[in-house]
Amino acid sequence: MQVRVLGSAAGGGVPQWNCGCENCREARAGGSVRARTQESVAVSADGAAWFLLNVSPEVRAQIESFPSLWPRAPRHSPIAGVLLTNGDLDHCLGLLSLRESHPLIGYATESVHTGFASGNVLYRTLERFAGQLTWRALAAGQEQPLGDTPLAVTAIPAPGNLPLHLKGLRPASPADNVGLVVRDTRSGRRLAYFSGAAGPSPELVRAVTDADLVFFDGTFWSSDELIAAGLGTRRAEEMAHWPIGGPDGSLPFLSRLPGRRVLIHINNTNPILREGSPERRAVEAAGIEIAFDGMELSI
Ligand SMILES: [Zn+2]
Ligand SMILES: [Zn+2]
């Protein structure tokens, strides 16, 4: 399985348009913080057909950044489908930009699918002809093939939240936020993709323990990161993100996993973005990698 990180930042990206924090300033100045687009990862069994895990608002530039996603005919795209982990805008808004009459398969839980499509007048741009966007429902724990490729996907409920724009409009459900396990049925190798998780759960622990490659929520280093920087009022956990640092952070948990581990969905305030910072050194010392745009992996 080929894996390419198209975007590695949390919502807003690095730098974020309205942020002048230390990291965003460094990124603009070309200093020790690398610029990053919002989280999305492409996977393929053969390099011909690709599936996007989340579709960021920057999808057009992300496609252009990776020649394997370029058309091979006057009207063509190697992108066969998209998979959504939740309905946050940084994970699904790009779907509306893939509207130029290319048939796609969308994989999402019923809750994420309806949260995006129902009552959304802009969604009609993806319903202009039959077969433009075909949804396949992800049911927790049930594996299904990705198109006609040798890859298969299973959704694993992960502790999380409703997207902000749906809060108060509908009750929360365990299917609002999932991780994805993509298995190569030829080799049996597994990618576990948990870019947003408020904490551990038995299903999550099992999925990442069994995986050869794990992408994990790297949004915040500390619980009060936004509060301490004067940039927000909510703690990481309230935003459904398990902080990396501290005695109850994800770092000790990730350190114990057997597979290759990569932090992704990194917020622009996170000190691990700074080369040489103590927080980044702690992550590296634990053998954990920090995703960057253009990172390529293979399992
Ligand atoms: Zn996000
Ligand atoms: Zn910032």
Side-chain angles (χ1 to χ4, degrees):
M1 188 188 327
Q2 300 171 46
V3 181
R4 163 93 175 199
V5 176
L6 300 174
S8 51
V14 184
Q16 175 176 314
W17 70 280
N18 64 341
C19 191
C21 77
E22 183 183 346
N23 283 354
C24 287
R25 290 201 313 271
E26 275 286 306
R28 289 192 182 95
S32 69
V33 172
R34 198 167 169 149
R36 286 168 161 83
T37 61
Q38 294 165 87
E39 174 233 317
S40 177
V41 166
V43 299
S44 177
D46 54 7
W50 289 82
F51 294 86
L52 305 186
L53 312 184
N54 289 333
V55 201
S56 95
E58 292 158 291
V59 64
R60 197 201 71 88
Q62 291 174 337
I63 290 168
E64 295 307 320
S65 76
F66 184 35
S68 295
L69 297 183
W70 295 355
R72 292 169 200 150
R75 265 287 188 270
H76 171 263
S77 171
I79 300 173
V82 302
L83 297 86
L84 303 178
T85 58
N86 65 33
D88 290 349
L89 288 184
D90 54 315
H91 302 159
C92 60
L93 202 52
L95 199 42
L96 294 173
S97 296
L98 301 180
R99 68 186 185 280
E100 282 88 6
S101 303
H102 176 74
L104 284 171
I105 309 174
Y107 297 83
T109 63
E110 206 44 49
S111 159
V112 171
H113 165 213
T114 58
F116 182 69
S118 96
N120 178 0
V121 70
L122 298 180
Y123 179 75
R124 299 181 72 219
T125 197
L126 298 172
E127 292 181 311
R128 295 195 313 234
F129 59 91
Q132 185 178 2
L133 178 56
T134 305
W135 287 99
R136 302 262 161 81
L138 292 175
Q142 288 179 25
E143 187 177 71
Q144 64 176 297
L146 281 181
D148 53 6
T149 74
L151 301 182
V153 65
T154 308
I156 311 292
N161 267 342
L162 270 172
L164 275 179
H165 60 276
L166 292 180
K167 288 236 166 98
L169 292 182
R170 55 196 290 177
S173 114
D176 293 330
N177 186 53
V178 297
L180 302 168
V181 173
V182 180
R183 186 173 71 93
D184 189 327
T185 58
R186 299 164 300 184
S187 63
R189 296 180 80 83
R190 291 162 195 264
L191 159 69
Y193 194 81
F194 286 85
S195 60
S201 70
E203 303 100 303
L204 178 153
V205 172
R206 200 173 316 121
V208 297
T209 304
D210 289 346
D212 302 282
L213 171 61
V214 177
F215 280 94
F216 205 80
D217 187 336
T219 313
F220 297 113
W221 174 262
S222 50
S223 182
D224 67 346
E225 191 165 308
L226 293 186
I227 301 166
L231 299 172
T233 55
R234 293 190 302 158
R235 305 185 80 78
E237 295 86 347
E238 292 172 61
M239 289 179 278
H241 295 297
W242 187 4
I244 304 164
D248 300 324
S250 62
L251 190 57
F253 165 70
L254 294 171
S255 303
R256 294 191 292 271
L257 297 179
R260 189 170 173 184
R261 295 135 300 163
V262 182
L263 291 170
I264 196 166
H265 194 272
I266 306 162
N267 197 58
N268 58 74
T269 50
N270 193 325
I272 66 168
L273 290 175
R274 288 197 291 279
E275 304 283 346
S277 70
E279 294 86 355
R280 188 180 181 100
R281 284 205 300 270
V283 167
E284 289 166 347
I288 294 163
E289 296 169 79
I290 296 167
F292 56 89
D293 295 15
M295 184 182 204
E296 292 199 350
L297 308 98
S298 162
I299 54 168

